Amino acid sequence: MENAGSNKVIKIGGKGSTLSSWSVYAIANGLSKVDIDSSVSSNLKSSENLCYSLSGEKPVPNVLTLIETRACLVLLLNKLIITQTDIRFLVPDLICQTLNQETFDFKTLDFSSALGFLDSLFKLNGATLEEEGYTLGEKNVLMKSGYVLDGISALLDSCSPSLSTVADAVALLSCEALKADASVLAVRSLDSGNGFTIKDVASVARDFKVLLKGSNLVGETKGCELISDITEVHGSYRESAKQIHSITLVELNTSVKISKDGYSSSVGSEKPLVKTFLSFAMSVFDLGKSSFYRAGLLANDAGSEVGEMFQSGCPDIDELTDEIMLITTLAAREGNCVKFFHVINNLVATVRNILAWEAVLAIHSLERMESLERSQELSVASLSVETNQVKESPGEKSREKNNKVVLGKGTVVIKQLLKDRLKTGGDPALLNEWVHDLSLFFEPKDAELHTFLKKVREMVETNESRRLPKIPKGTADFSKEQMAIRERAFKIIGEVFKRHGAMALDTPAFELRETLMGKYGEDSKLVFDLADQGGEICSLRYDLTVPFARYVAMHNISSFKRYQIGKVYRRDNPSLGRSREFYQCDFDIAGQYCTMGPDFEVVKVLTELLDELNMGDYEIKLNHRKLLDGMLEICGVPPEKFRTICSSIDKLDKEPFEEIKKEMVEEKGLTAEVADKIGALVKKRGSPLELMSELKQDNQFQENKESSLALKDLEILFELLEESKCIDRVVFDLSLARGLDYYTGVIFEAVFKGTKVGSTASDIIKVGSIAAGGRYDNLIGMFGAKQVPAVGVSLGIERVFLIMEQQLEQQLKKDPNQSIRATETEVLVSIFGDDLRQAVKLVSELWGAKIKAEYLVHKRVQKHMARAKECRIPLMVIVGDQERSANQVRIKDMQAHEEELVDRGSVVEEVQRRLNLMSL
């Protein structure tokens, strides 16, 4: 929230300017003046096509408050300026002049109709609609922009963050005053039922834990529902506040589209706005109800006098209920949206007043506790003097410490800040004044409130910095041992790619969103979108294939065999082997080649990768997209449903056919008969040559154009795979569909079948699909370039790493002496003593000879030996006092447990010789 202040001028219009909710609030409450950017007058031209006809409607009295009226005028001003088409400067200028008046007869403004408003605005400024006329553009903005709703929405949006922090602060004081069992705050409703934590509910619980830390009041009595529901009620409010902020931010700066004939289409329905704010109103109602009941408990504890004042002065549940019922009724009726938002604004004011009562009663209760404590201390002191008691026993000191009122580190500050605002004593007769003062203080326009909010947030954030840091879900850190495995795998993968003549390529981690959209079918929902940066909507790359296709098209390349190893991003639900950030290793061949030549090589590369990574047992499921399309056509599936049915078929390796059939029939509109036909065909899988022979004898496949072409391709491919002696790794599987939209020919997927690394069932490692790919002849042409056929494979390296790590873990259980070297250091230069210069000179000579070396300077011999053993460094070059005086070094072979003195000048040659012998 921006700082409250006066005499500030907020300019509307101008290049790149946007209107914020806080700007609307500041102008509406008179905290700031408004001005129109100088560029606007030149953009808004005088119109020659003026209309003067009146509708004959009677003016409707304005039901809005002054602040709400001013907010609506701010929104209308902005809508007129950003729409521009067929808008005169006259109307924005009149609105600006009206807003900058300290007082004006706002009740005369008629928001019920477009012409009624213009007429009332002109009359307010000494003119009439008959004199000034109007343009169709102005009329359309007034009719279509929803400026009245957006104006009040902006007021609610600007107030919602402060209300959240105020409600938290007040509830914290009540927890202290009621001596609540604060442990229940972190328990109830934190689990959403699927293993994930509700973010805002958990956030409230963490904040309360921080601010109550150190209190000796909370936790003394049994928790009650009024305390335990705080996390849920306040968390739900935070979530609702975020939702209204998102929708309001868009609405504030959306222009009205005016066509050439001067008319506009509707800019959107009011229903989404009403639905979002109805949810917000319910969360405000819950916030107020929860606060009222806690205030009631505090009032009962304070005695009859305070209780009577609370009952007569505080808005009650009936008042809250009447308001929320009216809001619900208005939401269900069309044409009552203005009043709907007006009543929500009233509800927020009512809840703010209830929070003021709760705060006052909590402070009053805590003051009474502290006063009672002081009086008891005086009584004890007086008794001690009378009985000549000089020294207390340890037990008495302990009891006194336990009875002392100690607030939490955060709540003690909150209480003092609110008490300083009141500037009055603890006289119960002043409670009504306290409430009035705090109710005004809780309004965002109060400059002191911003200091209070900032202080509360600082206390939470300062503690946040002391907590253990976390990483986002679906991401991971990797230890030195894991990185050693990864680097070894990357080296193998790179060598296989280069062996086939591939050249390296790198592309940005994010692309323009338009580059990625429309390429992934139903998986498009998993694309990670980024915030608008300078007018460009970007997304993190979903894979490496589409960026490669964009690169080829962008540079007009006709042939390219490339490889790329890089991270990709999926907005997916994290699980074992499924992350949001992970590496892919891609190999692609683009260009015109012999039929099925590139397809064969890509599959061959995949078998080499998995064999050389020593993955264990795997199979490569293979199919053809044209064969799949032909099969769907044979079964009676309409062409427009091919892709969506493919997405269903692609799930057959994870779900039974009955579930897939239910999806195809109930969700995607196929008949049960068609679904059964598909089921009969997709269950076919087996040896490529045998299943190929079976399909060639089926007239349905031979007579269908698509499937006939596919069978010819596959026949060539299987012959090539047989020649290269890798066909035994391939399974012809008609259920393989690959849901991505861009595939046009051969498609394949490598599945890890599991490796048994122990004697029990739990010792079998399974992760499923580890690589996939296929032909995509049309993808490059989708970027407006010439069609360049291409085929590629992508290795899901994270699952490969998972398998390799699990295999190593099982091996270590059998032989604990095995370990992964996290470093490739060949020599440890060990200087016994503190001569750093000698260490630097010696290790630099080794580095100069391209020897992998590190150094250690320490007086204790055991430190050097431990380092060499821990890192499994094969050689040590040792220099102690004896070696130094003889101008020699001692070379120790850690594996052979042998050592030898050599001259200082020949150390590099001797180390190289020994390393060469070790490598044989």
Side-chain angles (χ1 to χ4, degrees):
M1 182 182 293
E2 300 168 48
N3 292 330
S6 57
N7 301 322
K8 180 182 176 182
V9 176
I10 295 175
K11 284 200 172 186
I12 295 183
K15 187 175 181 180
S17 67
T18 57
L19 186 65
S20 69
S21 292
W22 178 251
S23 295
V24 176
Y25 183 90
I27 297 169
N29 282 275
L31 304 176
S32 302
K33 297 290 186 182
V34 63
D35 192 15
I36 301 174
D37 190 83
S38 58
S39 64
V40 172
S41 58
S42 59
N43 292 333
L44 302 183
K45 306 295 184 182
S46 299
S47 177
E48 298 178 357
N49 300 316
L50 291 177
C51 303
Y52 297 91
S53 61
L54 296 176
S55 62
E57 298 174 348
K58 292 183 179 179
V60 177
N62 183 6
V63 298
L64 305 179
T65 65
L66 172 61
I67 292 172
E68 290 171 340
T69 299
R70 291 174 63 87
C72 297
L73 290 176
V74 176
L75 259 294
L76 178 57
L77 174 61
N78 190 55
K79 297 284 186 182
L80 290 165
I81 289 174
I82 62 177
T83 299
Q84 292 189 2
T85 305
D86 201 24
I87 306 295
R88 299 170 294 170
F89 183 70
L90 169 67
V91 180
D93 189 42
L94 283 179
I95 294 173
C96 186
Q97 292 177 36
T98 302
L99 284 169
N100 286 331
Q101 294 177 28
E102 291 187 7
T103 58
F104 63 91
D105 190 2
F106 70 97
K107 286 291 184 182
T108 62
L109 289 174
D110 178 10
F111 291 104
S112 64
S113 67
L115 299 185
F117 173 80
L118 278 175
D119 190 38
S120 61
L121 177 67
F122 287 140
K123 287 178 179 177
L124 190 63
N125 289 275
T128 66
L129 183 65
E130 295 163 313
E131 295 170 353
E132 301 293 347
Y134 62 90
T135 68
L136 287 178
E138 292 162 356
K139 181 180 178 182
N140 280 318
V141 170
L142 286 160
M143 292 175 61
K144 304 288 187 178
S145 66
Y147 67 95
V148 178
L149 308 187
D150 295 343
I152 309 176
S153 300
L155 293 179
L156 292 168
D157 179 39
S158 60
C159 293
S160 60
S162 62
L163 185 64
S164 177
T165 306
V166 165
D168 289 350
V170 172
L172 282 159
L173 293 181
S174 290
C175 287
E176 297 274 30
L178 294 169
K179 298 182 179 180
D181 181 3
S183 64
V184 297
L185 292 170
V187 176
R188 182 175 174 185
S189 298
L190 289 189
D191 197 321
S192 62
N194 59 359
F196 292 97
T197 299
I198 302 173
K199 182 178 178 182
D200 289 298
V201 176
S203 179
V204 171
R206 287 196 299 268
D207 293 350
F208 273 53
K209 183 179 179 181
V210 168
L211 297 170
L212 288 170
K213 186 176 181 181
S215 169
N216 72 342
L217 294 179
V218 294
E220 290 191 5
T221 59
K222 186 178 180 181
C224 67
E225 187 175 354
L226 299 178
I227 299 300
S228 62
D229 73 352
I230 289 176
T231 51
E232 186 173 354
V233 171
H234 289 223
S236 296
Y237 176 81
R238 288 189 187 185
E239 177 61 29
S240 295
K242 290 177 184 176
Q243 289 174 356
I244 68 164
H245 178 68
S246 297
I247 197 168
T248 302
L249 190 63
V250 174
E251 292 293 328
L252 294 189
N253 296 285
T254 300
S255 62
V256 178
K257 303 300 181 185
I258 308 292
S259 62
K260 292 181 179 180
D261 58 5
Y263 291 94
S264 72
S265 58
S266 176
V267 294
S269 172
E270 297 170 345
K271 289 182 180 179
L273 197 65
V274 170
K275 183 179 179 181
T276 302
F277 274 86
L278 178 60
S279 176
F280 173 72
M282 293 301 300
S283 70
V284 174
F285 169 75
D286 289 339
L287 203 66
K289 183 173 68 172
S290 179
S291 175
F292 175 82
Y293 284 130
R294 288 193 301 273
L297 289 178
L298 292 165
N300 290 339
D301 290 345
S304 58
E305 182 183 355
V306 172
E308 289 173 5
M309 294 175 68
F310 169 70
Q311 289 179 4
S312 62
C314 182
D316 58 17
I317 291 298
D318 289 340
E319 188 172 336
L320 278 175
T321 303
D322 289 344
E323 288 184 329
I324 197 63
M325 288 184 67
L326 178 57
I327 290 167
T328 305
T329 303
L330 291 170
R333 297 178 185 170
E334 294 186 6
N336 286 282
C337 289
V338 175
K339 192 172 182 182
F340 168 80
F341 281 92
H342 171 70
V343 180
I344 295 178
N345 209 18
N346 288 343
L347 177 65
V348 170
T350 301
V351 171
R352 195 182 287 128
N353 195 14
I354 294 173
L355 287 169
W357 270 102
E358 183 187 0
V360 165
L361 291 169
I363 293 171
H364 177 65
S365 177
L366 293 170
E367 289 283 294
R368 284 190 299 112
M369 288 184 200
E370 293 171 354
S371 177
L372 180 61
E373 177 194 323
R374 287 192 294 270
S375 64
Q376 289 175 343
E377 288 176 351
L378 289 173
S379 298
V380 171
S382 175
L383 181 63
S384 298
V385 172
E386 289 178 8
T387 59
N388 295 317
Q389 182 179 352
V390 178
K391 189 174 182 180
E392 299 175 2
S393 67
E396 289 172 330
K397 282 187 175 182
S398 176
R399 283 192 296 275
E400 181 184 342
K401 183 177 180 181
N402 290 334
N403 291 329
K404 188 177 180 64
V405 176
V406 180
L407 300 183
K409 291 183 178 180
T411 47
V412 68
V413 176
I414 291 170
K415 174 179 171 287
Q416 191 58 50
L417 288 171
L418 294 179
K419 189 179 172 186
D420 290 346
R421 165 70 186 212
L422 299 172
K423 299 183 179 68
T424 55
D427 185 356
L430 297 172
L431 287 186
N432 278 312
E433 293 183 25
W434 284 20
V435 171
H436 177 71
D437 197 4
L438 277 190
S439 187
L440 294 176
F441 173 62
F442 289 162
E443 292 188 24
K445 63 184 177 183
D446 192 309
E448 292 182 15
L449 175 65
H450 296 265
T451 303
F452 173 78
L453 299 176
K454 183 179 179 182
K455 187 66 178 178
V456 173
R457 289 166 187 160
E458 280 178 353
M459 288 188 290
V460 173
E461 290 167 3
T462 300
N463 189 273
E464 284 278 356
S465 65
R466 296 174 186 167
R467 297 178 190 167
L468 287 175
K470 295 171 60 179
I471 59 174
K473 289 187 297 184
T475 62
D477 294 320
F478 300 102
S479 67
K480 56 186 181 181
E481 291 81 11
Q482 288 174 307
M483 286 307 300
I485 295 173
R486 287 167 169 258
E487 288 181 348
R488 187 172 67 190
F490 282 139
K491 184 176 181 180
I492 292 171
I493 292 166
E495 286 175 353
V496 171
F497 289 159
K498 292 175 184 177
R499 185 188 308 153
H500 286 261
M503 295 171 281
L505 176 70
D506 193 19
T507 56
F510 54 91
E511 298 272 350
L512 292 176
R513 190 170 189 272
E514 63 194 48
T515 299
L516 304 181
M517 286 300 99
K519 315 296 191 304
Y520 304 113
E522 294 184 4
D523 281 354
S524 292
K525 62 181 181 291
L526 302 181
V527 173
F528 254 120
D529 291 332
L530 302 176
D532 183 359
Q533 297 291 331
E536 289 188 338
I537 307 298
C538 298
S539 301
L540 293 174
R541 61 189 180 198
Y542 177 89
D543 63 6
L544 300 178
T545 306
V546 172
F548 168 64
R550 187 264 309 152
Y551 177 86
V552 172
M554 184 174 161
H555 295 277
N556 196 28
I557 297 171
S558 57
S559 65
F560 190 9
K561 184 185 287 189
R562 84 85 158 89
Y563 78 90
Q564 184 174 354
I565 299 174
K567 288 184 176 181
V568 298
Y569 303 86
R570 307 276 170 91
R571 193 167 57 87
D572 208 345
N573 287 325
S575 61
L576 182 65
R578 183 180 292 274
S579 302
R580 289 178 172 176
E581 177 192 60
F582 56 95
Y583 274 100
Q584 280 190 343
C585 305
D586 277 27
F587 175 87
D588 293 84
I589 302 174
Q592 297 286 351
Y593 296 90
C594 297
T595 302
M596 303 312 293
D599 306 71
F600 149 73
E601 187 170 5
V602 167
V603 176
K604 177 63 176 173
V605 164
L606 179 54
T607 62
E608 291 179 11
L609 284 175
L610 299 181
D611 288 341
E612 295 191 26
L613 288 169
N614 195 23
M615 293 297 302
D617 196 12
Y618 68 89
E619 67 178 18
I620 299 175
K621 297 191 294 184
L622 190 145
N623 200 0
H624 198 294
R625 182 55 74 84
K626 289 181 180 178
L627 180 62
L628 196 60
D629 288 350
M631 182 181 70
L632 294 179
E633 186 178 350
I634 290 168
C635 292
V637 178
E640 65 273 12
K641 292 188 176 181
F642 282 3
R643 293 290 77 84
T644 186
I645 297 302
C646 281
S647 295
S648 297
I649 294 172
D650 202 37
K651 300 173 185 176
L652 276 169
D653 60 338
K654 305 178 187 71
E655 300 177 19
F657 177 72
E658 287 306 314
E659 289 296 320
I660 303 301
K661 177 182 175 181
K662 183 178 179 181
E663 179 181 304
M664 290 192 291
V665 173
E666 296 181 4
E667 297 180 23
K668 299 186 176 179
L670 293 188
T671 65
E673 182 183 2
V674 170
D676 286 335
K677 287 182 179 179
I678 294 172
L681 290 175
V682 297
K683 292 175 184 176
K684 294 179 181 291
R685 75 188 305 271
S687 164
L689 297 178
E690 291 177 7
L691 186 53
M692 167 65 70
S693 177
E694 178 185 336
L695 294 179
K696 286 176 68 176
Q697 294 173 24
D698 190 329
N699 290 333
Q700 291 183 102
F701 286 94
Q702 291 294 341
E703 292 170 2
N704 182 276
K705 181 181 178 182
E706 293 294 298
S707 60
S708 176
L709 290 172
L711 290 174
K712 290 178 181 177
D713 284 347
L714 290 174
E715 188 172 18
I716 297 171
L717 175 61
F718 293 156
E719 289 175 357
L720 296 174
L721 292 173
E722 189 176 29
E723 288 292 331
S724 68
K725 296 182 172 36
C726 63
I727 197 168
D728 57 323
R729 290 294 197 179
V730 177
V731 175
F732 192 4
D733 189 338
L734 296 190
S735 71
L736 181 66
R738 300 296 299 150
L740 302 183
D741 278 0
Y742 52 66
Y743 287 125
T744 58
V746 169
I747 49 177
F748 50 86
E749 180 177 88
V751 179
F752 182 65
K753 298 171 70 174
T755 296
K756 192 170 180 61
V757 291
S759 57
T760 65
S762 62
D763 291 331
I764 298 177
I765 302 170
K766 293 183 178 180
V767 294
S769 174
I770 51 178
R775 176 161 286 279
Y776 50 97
D777 286 347
N778 301 327
L779 180 60
I780 295 170
M782 290 175 69
F783 294 103
K786 62 184 178 182
Q787 293 288 6
V788 180
V791 62
V793 62
S794 179
L795 180 67
I797 193 67
E798 298 299 334
R799 292 188 175 185
V800 171
F801 291 148
L802 181 63
I803 295 166
M804 296 174 73
E805 288 167 11
Q806 288 179 332
Q807 287 174 336
L808 177 63
E809 184 180 338
Q810 296 294 339
Q811 291 167 6
L812 289 175
K813 286 181 181 179
K814 294 180 179 179
D815 184 3
N817 294 323
Q818 288 190 33
S819 63
I820 291 293
R821 282 199 69 192
T823 172
E824 295 183 6
T825 302
E826 298 168 310
V827 181
L828 175 65
V829 175
S830 294
I831 306 298
F832 296 166
D834 55 6
D835 193 347
L836 177 60
R837 293 179 63 184
Q838 187 176 34
V840 168
K841 184 176 181 181
L842 184 50
V843 78
S844 294
E845 292 176 15
L846 295 172
W847 288 338
K850 304 298 185 290
I851 296 171
K852 297 170 183 174
E854 56 182 276
Y855 66 90
L856 178 62
V857 178
H858 203 280
K859 294 179 180 179
R860 293 179 58 190
V861 175
Q862 192 59 36
K863 199 79 172 177
H864 295 269
M865 300 303 294
R867 177 67 166 273
K869 288 179 180 179
E870 179 188 357
C871 298
R872 293 169 59 192
I873 301 173
L875 293 179
M876 291 180 68
V877 174
I878 301 169
V879 181
D881 291 340
Q882 181 180 344
E883 289 82 12
R884 190 179 297 108
S885 61
N887 196 28
Q888 292 180 315
V889 300
R890 189 181 302 275
I891 298 180
K892 183 177 180 65
D893 187 326
M894 296 298 293
Q895 294 176 337
H897 302 289
E898 298 174 352
E899 54 185 57
E900 180 183 356
L901 285 170
V902 300
D903 291 338
R904 171 66 180 81
S906 60
V907 63
V908 173
E909 291 79 5
E910 182 60 24
V911 166
Q912 287 177 325
R913 184 185 70 80
R914 288 172 178 265
L915 290 174
N916 288 334
L917 289 174
M918 288 180 178
S919 64
L920 295 177

